[in-house]
Short mmCIF file of all heavy atoms in Angstrom, two decimals:
data_model
loop_
_atom_site.label_atom_id
_atom_site.label_comp_id
_atom_site.label_asym_id
_atom_site.label_seq_id
_atom_site.Cartn_x
_atom_site.Cartn_y
_atom_site.Cartn_z
N ALA I 95 2.06 15.75 -20.80
CA ALA I 95 2.69 15.26 -19.58
C ALA I 95 3.99 14.54 -19.90
O ALA I 95 4.05 13.73 -20.80
CB ALA I 95 1.75 14.32 -18.83
N ALA I 96 5.01 14.83 -19.13
CA ALA I 96 6.28 14.12 -19.28
C ALA I 96 6.13 12.74 -18.66
O ALA I 96 5.30 12.53 -17.77
CB ALA I 96 7.39 14.90 -18.57
N PRO I 97 6.92 11.78 -19.09
CA PRO I 97 6.83 10.45 -18.49
C PRO I 97 7.09 10.53 -16.98
O PRO I 97 7.99 11.23 -16.53
CB PRO I 97 7.96 9.67 -19.18
CG PRO I 97 8.26 10.43 -20.42
CD PRO I 97 7.92 11.85 -20.15
N VAL I 98 6.29 9.83 -16.24
CA VAL I 98 6.38 9.84 -14.79
C VAL I 98 6.92 8.50 -14.32
O VAL I 98 6.46 7.47 -14.77
CB VAL I 98 5.00 10.12 -14.17
CG1 VAL I 98 5.06 10.09 -12.66
CG2 VAL I 98 4.45 11.43 -14.67
N GLN I 99 7.87 8.52 -13.43
CA GLN I 99 8.46 7.28 -12.92
C GLN I 99 7.94 7.00 -11.52
O GLN I 99 8.61 7.27 -10.54
CB GLN I 99 9.99 7.39 -12.93
CG GLN I 99 10.60 7.44 -14.29
CD GLN I 99 10.30 6.19 -15.11
OE1 GLN I 99 10.28 5.09 -14.60
NE2 GLN I 99 10.07 6.38 -16.38
N THR I 100 6.71 6.51 -11.44
CA THR I 100 6.18 6.13 -10.14
C THR I 100 6.29 4.64 -9.91
O THR I 100 5.98 4.16 -8.83
CB THR I 100 4.70 6.55 -9.99
OG1 THR I 100 3.95 5.94 -11.03
CG2 THR I 100 4.55 8.05 -10.02
N ALA I 101 6.71 3.91 -10.91
CA ALA I 101 6.75 2.44 -10.80
C ALA I 101 8.16 1.94 -10.58
O ALA I 101 8.65 1.09 -11.31
CB ALA I 101 6.15 1.82 -12.06
N ASN I 102 8.83 2.48 -9.57
CA ASN I 102 10.18 1.99 -9.30
C ASN I 102 10.28 1.53 -7.84
O ASN I 102 9.38 1.75 -7.04
CB ASN I 102 11.24 3.05 -9.63
CG ASN I 102 11.04 4.34 -8.86
OD1 ASN I 102 10.75 4.33 -7.68
ND2 ASN I 102 11.19 5.45 -9.55
N PHE I 103 11.37 0.87 -7.54
CA PHE I 103 11.59 0.30 -6.22
C PHE I 103 11.51 1.36 -5.12
O PHE I 103 10.82 1.17 -4.11
CB PHE I 103 12.96 -0.41 -6.19
CG PHE I 103 13.28 -1.05 -4.88
CD1 PHE I 103 12.85 -2.34 -4.61
CD2 PHE I 103 14.01 -0.37 -3.91
CE1 PHE I 103 13.13 -2.94 -3.39
CE2 PHE I 103 14.31 -0.97 -2.70
CZ PHE I 103 13.86 -2.26 -2.44
N ALA I 104 12.21 2.47 -5.31
CA ALA I 104 12.24 3.52 -4.28
C ALA I 104 10.86 4.10 -4.02
O ALA I 104 10.49 4.36 -2.87
CB ALA I 104 13.22 4.62 -4.68
N SER I 105 10.08 4.28 -5.08
CA SER I 105 8.73 4.82 -4.92
C SER I 105 7.84 3.84 -4.15
O SER I 105 7.06 4.25 -3.28
CB SER I 105 8.13 5.11 -6.30
OG SER I 105 6.84 5.64 -6.17
N GLY I 106 7.96 2.56 -4.45
CA GLY I 106 7.19 1.55 -3.71
C GLY I 106 7.59 1.50 -2.24
O GLY I 106 6.73 1.41 -1.36
N LEU I 107 8.88 1.59 -1.99
CA LEU I 107 9.38 1.59 -0.62
C LEU I 107 8.86 2.80 0.15
O LEU I 107 8.31 2.68 1.25
CB LEU I 107 10.91 1.58 -0.64
CG LEU I 107 11.63 1.38 0.68
CD1 LEU I 107 11.54 -0.08 1.10
CD2 LEU I 107 13.08 1.78 0.55
#
Side-chain angles (χ1 to χ4, degrees):
V98 178
Q99 292 299 323
T100 58
N102 58 42
F103 181 86
S105 181
L107 189 75

